[in-house]
Amino acid sequence: MSNPNETRSWGTPRPPEPTPEAAPDVEPLSLAEMREWQEPAVGEDAASLVGRVVGSYRVVRLLGEGGAGAVYLAEHPVIGSRVAIKVLHDDLSASRSMLERFVQEARAANRIPNPHIVRVSDFGQTDDGRHYAVMEYLDGRPLDALLAAESPLALGRAARLLREAAEAMAAAHGADILHRDLKPENLYVERRADGDFLRILDFGIAKLRDPGKGAVRKTATGLVLGTPLYCSPEQAAAETVGPATDIYSLGAVAYEVFAGRPPFSGNIVEILVQKSTRDVAPLAGIRGDLPVELCRLVDRMLSRAPAARPASMAEVARQFARWERTAPDRTAEML
């Protein structure tokens, strides 16, 4: 749902910390539904809510649109607070799986006690039956747009963003929630007075783990959930996944941040085959100017075997924090 040429935003003042509740065990999306969830919609009347009142807010303009829904900027007519309202396309509301996926996104995000997770403050239906979620409004842009405009990032800046993402996901894993779709489009870089502040979006295919087993079984259909460029080998094979799958995905993001390209390239089938049969080209061979230990960390995160990856997101966060503190304040030249 990102538009590299436009600032996106997603929500409003942070609501009180929610009381944890069990999320529904949502049935897997069908192949057709997954395409609708991930691919841009065609022919939608995207601006139809502009000027209308949704909940307590008046819709100002469209911010972005994807296969599942559209996101609008809205303002409270009395106090002037700004929010982002995500609206599920009306033709998808008839699908129980799609609607429950939409609800689960809100529930999962609100269960994670971390400021780097975008929270949902309200949920409901428009007067014509479309389901919506009210979220914080953020001033910034997705990581993919930032990289397109400013890559390569200074080492300290890149390490800060990756550390913040790892800390947020450590909190998610602590709440027994896997994201399963970490990618640059879902990592939003907010502009604040003290610098970048990363926020994680789109828990639409998040899944609760069984605390007793620590893993998530594959979907009933064997359907791969996630984005091929960033999903783990076990996720690509529709096998059981755990926290290590999010570590792999963040490693793929880190590789792209530092190398200027994703770990693998090709069409979807080629990428999925490569993930299962080939190791990633070592990052040090592409960025010889980076610290060797940092390159090894990213390479470990991208190990094909889940057990060979760092033990936890907390460990990943600690390692990136090291380079955030020690990195020189300059943008290293790509070799």
Side-chain angles (χ1 to χ4, degrees):
M1 290 181 60
S2 63
N3 179 350
N5 299 316
E6 181 176 17
T7 296
R8 285 197 314 181
S9 15
W10 308 84
T12 183
R14 187 178 304 283
E17 289 294 333
T19 301
E21 59 177 285
D25 190 9
V26 180
E27 65 185 42
L29 300 180
S30 68
L31 182 58
E33 288 173 329
M34 177 54 69
R35 287 172 176 164
E36 288 176 325
W37 186 265
Q38 294 185 334
E39 297 176 0
V42 178
E44 293 287 345
D45 184 10
S48 62
L49 289 182
V50 174
R52 292 175 54 182
V53 173
V54 175
S56 300
Y57 299 89
R58 181 171 296 279
V59 177
V60 176
R61 64 184 173 91
L62 177 72
L63 294 171
E65 188 175 16
V71 180
Y72 298 87
L73 168 65
E75 293 182 348
H76 195 285
V78 177
I79 61 176
S81 59
R82 308 178 93 188
V83 301
I85 299 180
K86 184 174 183 178
V87 183
L88 190 65
H89 289 320
D90 53 359
D91 61 328
L92 301 183
S93 295
S95 165
R96 177 175 173 269
S97 293
M98 294 294 279
L99 181 56
E100 289 187 343
R101 194 74 52 178
F102 189 55
V103 174
Q104 177 168 299
E105 178 179 356
R107 287 183 173 176
N110 279 8
R111 287 190 57 171
I112 305 168
N114 187 275
H116 295 288
I117 305 295
V118 175
R119 297 197 179 281
V120 176
S121 59
D122 198 6
F123 196 90
Q125 285 183 271
T126 63
D127 53 10
D128 57 356
R130 279 181 277 185
H131 295 268
Y132 69 85
V134 179
M135 297 176 285
E136 301 171 74
Y137 178 88
L138 306 179
D139 179 18
R141 54 184 164 173
L143 181 59
D144 61 327
L146 175 64
L147 294 176
E150 301 184 29
S151 182
L153 303 182
L155 176 55
R157 185 184 187 191
R160 171 178 175 166
L161 293 173
L162 293 165
R163 185 263 301 168
E164 291 176 338
E167 287 180 346
M169 288 311 305
H173 294 169
D176 292 313
I177 294 173
L178 308 179
H179 190 288
R180 301 197 297 174
D181 197 23
L182 291 175
K183 57 187 176 182
E185 295 93 328
N186 286 342
L187 301 177
Y188 196 92
V189 184
E190 188 178 7
R191 291 188 290 262
R192 295 192 174 185
D194 61 346
D196 297 332
F197 192 81
L198 187 131
R199 312 296 293 278
I200 297 183
L201 309 171
D202 293 344
F203 279 79
I205 64 170
K207 183 72 173 179
L208 281 174
R209 293 187 296 140
D210 180 340
K213 298 180 180 179
V216 172
R217 293 177 300 168
K218 66 181 181 181
T219 65
T221 60
L223 178 65
V224 175
L225 295 180
T227 303
L229 278 174
Y230 306 97
C231 72
S232 66
E234 64 271 20
Q235 193 174 7
E239 297 174 350
T240 298
V241 300
T245 202
D246 285 336
I247 291 175
Y248 183 99
S249 295
L250 186 58
V253 172
Y255 193 98
E256 184 170 348
V257 167
F258 293 120
R261 60 175 175 82
F264 295 107
S265 62
N267 61 40
I268 291 177
V269 174
E270 290 170 341
I271 291 171
L272 295 180
V273 169
Q274 290 175 67
K275 284 178 182 285
S276 299
T277 60
R278 288 175 44 190
D279 293 325
V280 175
L283 180 58
I286 301 172
R287 288 290 304 274
D289 59 315
L290 292 175
V292 173
E293 294 89 345
L294 175 63
C295 293
R296 287 175 179 165
L297 170 64
V298 176
D299 292 344
R300 283 180 60 210
M301 294 173 72
L302 289 168
S303 298
R304 281 188 285 164
R309 298 169 202 156
S312 68
M313 276 292 189
E315 177 186 335
V316 172
R318 286 192 295 270
Q319 291 297 318
F320 280 128
R322 172 187 175 189
W323 301 112
E324 178 186 359
R325 292 191 300 267
T326 61
D329 186 18
R330 63 178 177 80
T331 301
E333 296 294 329
M334 296 288 285
L335 296 185

